[in-house]
Amino acid sequence: MSTSLLAPSVTRPVLIVEDDPTLLRGISDNFVSSGYPVEKASDGETAIALALATDPSLIVLDVMLPKVNGYEVCRFLRQEKLRAPIIFLTAKGEESDILLGLGLGADDYLSKPFSIRELLARSAAVLRRSSENQNDSVRDIPFGSFTLETEARRLRDKSGDLVSLSPREYDLLEHFLRNRGRARSRQSIIDSVWGFRSRVTQRSVDRFV
């Protein structure tokens, strides 16, 4: 099956951020041939500027970057309420590094070296999940004495004050609220919140909860 069949319909670009020019060109060419519009950056500062200017549909983000590393790029963009899914690319594979990236609000994590077909498949999967979430008509979800504001990705208590949540804590809470009354295994939570075939362990769910 051609990899182009995996590409969902998107109008906003995929932002690919990688400082290795050969790898950047290879990833970009494969995304373009699979039907995606593409923007490219080779350092963290350019990545932030392009992300804020183009509101990309997806960000494929290397961790080790000049000027501003990928973790800080992700942290800044999430603070700016940019909701584009983020897939980290990195040579690091330790669980602590994975948890750091996902805890900052990334949606998936792929260690180098990786298969381009796997990257395209994961990209299509997170884009479909993002599209489903955006099409959901429920914007504010009340529960108990709290209200989850899904458009702004924030939680308020009964007095209207904001409750501090990390990006991953927010994702987990929204997932639980949208699945009220359903039994959810740890693996199903990981697949829905962290991403299909993510490298976190089931114990990670306990830590974030």
Side-chain angles (χ1 to χ4, degrees), residues 46-113:
T46 304
I48 289 172
L50 276 174
L52 295 177
T54 64
D55 187 21
S57 59
L58 169 70
I59 302 173
V60 179
L61 179 63
D62 188 26
V63 169
M64 303 304 292
L65 292 169
K67 299 182 179 178
V68 182
N69 70 46
Y71 292 136
E72 292 305 315
V73 171
C74 180
R75 188 198 309 274
F76 179 83
L77 294 179
R78 290 301 186 237
Q79 288 174 346
E80 293 298 305
K81 308 302 181 185
L82 195 90
R83 299 186 64 177
I86 294 175
I87 298 177
F88 270 128
L89 301 179
T90 179
K92 296 185 175 183
E94 295 297 324
E95 184 182 17
S96 58
D97 297 314
I98 295 171
L99 290 174
L100 173 59
L102 296 176
L104 290 172
D107 297 81
D108 207 348
Y109 201 104
L110 200 56
S111 294
K112 299 176 182 178

Side-chain angles (χ1 to χ4, degrees), residues 28-39:
S28 301
D29 288 350
N30 275 277
F31 270 87
V32 169
S33 18
S34 294
Y36 294 95
V38 165
E39 292 282 353

Side-chain angles (χ1 to χ4, degrees), residues 114-131:
F114 54 85
S115 157
I116 190 64
R117 290 180 64 87
E118 182 177 6
L119 174 58
L120 288 168
R122 291 194 184 201
S123 298
V126 298
L127 281 166
R128 280 192 292 269
R129 287 199 303 272
S130 176
S131 176

